[in-house]
Amino acid sequence: VAYEPTTADTQPQVTQLKASKANVLMIFAFGKFSLQAFNAVARLNWKPQIFVNDVSSASELMSIVPQKAANGSISIVFGKDPASPQWRNDKGIKLFQSILKKYGNDIGSRDLKNGYFTVGMAGAYTMVTTLKKAGRNLTRQSVMRAATHLTEKGNPFVLPGIVIRTTPTSRFPLTQVRLQRWQNNAWRPFGKLINARPG
């Protein structure tokens, strides 16, 4: 069931889906619409298995929705979540936090646990790899050649084992993810890396 960006609230869509007797709800929404969907699930006392898209699965968002609706939700993950206890002592997360403290403006303690910032830093890390691979005399051609021939291992901001890979015919750099389940105010990854190459 679709919603428009001008929609005031997604409760009518969630109510419609509950009435269909569906036992699975996939929240492929952004920001406030995802929050509204979780709120509606809680208000309706509906208990479907929820899958939430990556962009709305940030711990920052998940921690403020009604936990009776959020618990048990499943999403994908490719980056290290600085809000997760699992990565508290991780070198990549410590590097992320030290860079953010040094160069960020008006950084608060909540920002140091913001997964959106970590994703940005992962992208920046890959951009640096691309520029190094392009050589000292950068041209559009050398940057494009480097960007379409990546095999980056060890990006400190993505999950261990993930390889950032591109080819001239496959330009989507992230094709590996893990599943994660929301429990007790945190995401818990489970299973092995799986292929998530776009079709």
Side-chain angles (χ1 to χ4, degrees):
V1 176
Y3 69 90
E4 294 297 327
T6 55
T7 300
D9 193 352
T10 57
Q11 170 131 358
Q13 288 86 346
V14 175
T15 301
Q16 179 185 348
L17 290 167
K18 181 185 178 191
S20 76
K21 303 207 182 321
N23 60 7
V24 173
L25 173 62
M26 301 180 95
I27 302 177
F28 293 165
F30 296 97
K32 75 171 187 174
F33 301 110
S34 176
L35 298 176
Q36 290 171 351
F38 276 107
N39 286 331
V41 167
R43 279 195 300 268
L44 294 167
N45 202 29
W46 188 24
K47 305 279 188 215
Q49 173 59 64
I50 296 177
F51 292 86
V52 60
N53 64 346
D54 176 64
V55 76
S56 290
S57 70
S59 293
E60 183 103 350
L61 292 174
M62 292 295 293
S63 64
I64 61 174
V65 301
Q67 293 304 293
K68 70 177 187 175
N71 276 328
S73 294
I74 295 174
S75 189
I76 62 167
V77 60
F78 59 86
K80 295 174 182 173
D81 180 357
S84 172
Q86 174 183 6
W87 303 111
R88 184 174 293 125
N89 296 313
D90 179 76
K91 288 180 183 178
I93 293 301
K94 288 186 175 197
L95 175 62
F96 153 73
Q97 291 172 338
S98 69
I99 292 170
L100 197 60
K101 284 177 188 175
K102 184 173 181 178
Y103 297 105
N105 292 330
D106 302 321
I107 296 301
S109 59
R110 287 185 64 186
D111 295 321
L112 297 174
K113 293 186 177 185
N114 188 322
Y116 291 124
F117 290 160
T118 315
V119 169
M121 210 167 286
Y125 186 92
T126 299
M127 185 64 192
V128 169
T129 299
T130 303
L131 293 173
K132 286 179 179 177
K133 187 177 170 100
R136 289 181 177 266
N137 300 313
L138 296 178
T139 64
R140 182 184 190 286
Q141 183 180 8
S142 68
V143 172
M144 287 304 295
R145 186 172 48 253
T148 57
H149 292 83
L150 284 176
T151 304
E152 179 187 70
K153 298 176 182 177
N155 184 317
F157 310 112
V158 300
L159 296 181
I162 288 182
V163 178
I164 310 296
R165 181 175 287 123
T166 59
T167 70
T169 58
S170 177
R171 296 182 179 196
F172 196 81
L174 283 166
T175 59
Q176 300 165 289
V177 297
R178 284 183 74 188
L179 294 175
Q180 61 181 351
R181 183 176 287 112
W182 184 259
Q183 290 291 343
N184 302 319
N185 277 307
W187 284 111
R188 315 278 180 204
F190 65 93
K192 297 179 180 179
L193 285 175
I194 57 175
N195 182 19
R197 185 175 298 278

